[in-house]
C-alpha cells in the first residue's frame, strides 16, 4: 500500500498531508476524552508496525504488507486503529524506512479512508464473529486500500500501466484469504481467556458482547 517516492508531485503530497492531519484532528477530541484509548492506540501502533515489518514484498507499483487491519480493529477498536495506522507509519519511517516519511500522509490516507468507510458501514452492524463476516470485512477493507493506491497512481507524474496496478490489487487476495484465520484465532483466544479487569482495559468492549 506504499506509494514510492518520486511518483507524486509536491503539491499532491502537501495536500495529502493536510487531509490526513484534518482527519486525525477531527477524531482527536473523541480519543482524548477516553484515556483508556491512549493505551489501545499505543498497542495498535506497535502491533501494526510489527505486522508490517514481519512481511512486506514489492509488487508492481506498490508493496504488499501484512497489515493486520482486522485483528487490530476488532480487538482494539476504531479510534486506536485509525491513529495507530498513522503513528505506526511514522514509527516505521523513523526506525526502518526513512524514505517513506515523504509520503506519510499519502500512505496514512490509503489505510485510514477505507477504515473510516468500513467502520461507518459494516463495522457498526452487530453480528456474530464468523469466518464469513471476517472475510467480508477484510474483502471490503482491502478493496478500499487497493482503490486508494489506484487513486494515487492515477495522479502520478510517472504513468503506471493498469496491468501493474491490477497485479498489485490481485496480490491482496492472499490477505483476504489468510488474515481472517489469524483474526478469528486471536479473537477466539481472547474471548476464552476471561482476562482480569486490568487486561480487559487493553481491548475493545465489543469483545465482551461478541
Amino acid at each position: 500500500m506504499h506509494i514510492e517516492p518520486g511518483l507524486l508531485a509536491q503539491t499532491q503530497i502537501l495536500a495529502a498531508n493536510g487531509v490526513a492531519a484534518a482527519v486525525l484532528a477531527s477524531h482527536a477530541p473523541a480519543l482524548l476524552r477516553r484515556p483508556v484509548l491512549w493505551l489501545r492506540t499505543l498497542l495498535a501502533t506497535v502491533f501494526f508496525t510489527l505486522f508490517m515489518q514481519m512481511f512486506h514484498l514489492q509488487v508492481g507499483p506498490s508493496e504488499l504488507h501484512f497489515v493486520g487491519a482486522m485483528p487490530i480493529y476488532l480487538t482494539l477498536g476504531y479510534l486506536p486503529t485509525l491513529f495507530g495506522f498513522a503513528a505506526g507509519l511514522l514509527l516505521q519511517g523513523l526506525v526502518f524506512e526513512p524514505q517513506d516519511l515523504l509520503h506519510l500522509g499519502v500512505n496514512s490516507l490509503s489505510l485510514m479512508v477505507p477504515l473510516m468507510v468500513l467502520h461507518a458501514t459494516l463495522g457498526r452492524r452487530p453480528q456474530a464473529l464468523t469466518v464469513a463476516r471476517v472475510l467480508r470485512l477484510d474483502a471490503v477493507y482491502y478493496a478500499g486500500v487497493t482503490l486508494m493506491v489506484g487513486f494515487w497512481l492515477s495522479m502520478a507524474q510517472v504513468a503506471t500501466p493498469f496491468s501493474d496496478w491490477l497485479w498489485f490489487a490481485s496480490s491482496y487476495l492472499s490477505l483476504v484469504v489468510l488474515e481472517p484465520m489469524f483474526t478469528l484465532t486471536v479473537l477466539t483466544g481472547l474471548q476464552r481467556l476471561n482476562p482480569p479487569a486490568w487486561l480487559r482495559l487493553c481491548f475493545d468492549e465489543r469483545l465482551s458482547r461478541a
Side-chain angles (χ1 to χ4, degrees), residues 2 4 56-64 167-168:
H2 281 77
E4 298 302 320
H56 53 94
L57 178 69
Q58 185 76 32
V59 180
S62 188
E63 295 181 14
L64 172 66
W167 178 29
F168 160 76

Side-chain angles (χ1 to χ4, degrees), residues 118-191:
L118 180 75
H119 182 68
T121 55
L122 297 180
R124 292 189 182 277
R125 301 175 187 175
Q127 298 178 31
L129 286 172
T130 63
V131 174
R133 184 199 175 198
V134 178
L135 271 171
R136 188 160 54 249
L137 291 171
D138 271 310
V140 170
Y141 179 74
Y142 288 112
V145 171
T146 56
L147 287 173
M148 284 297 297
V149 171
F151 169 73
W152 298 122
L153 293 177
S154 71
M155 300 188 299
Q157 300 180 99
V158 180
T160 302
F162 177 74
S163 58
D164 286 356
W165 173 82
L166 195 60
W167 178 29
F168 160 76
S170 63
S171 72
Y172 267 83
L173 288 174
S174 59
L175 282 187
V176 173
V177 172
L178 295 175
E179 189 177 291
M181 302 301 105
F182 178 71
T183 302
L184 287 170
T185 300
V186 171
L187 293 174
T188 301
L190 287 173
Q191 289 173 333

Side-chain angles (χ1 to χ4, degrees), residues 18-29 31 79 82-84 86-87 108 112:
V19 172
V23 168
L24 295 175
S26 68
H27 287 79
L31 180 74
L79 288 175
L82 189 76
F83 282 85
S108 295
M112 293 193 303

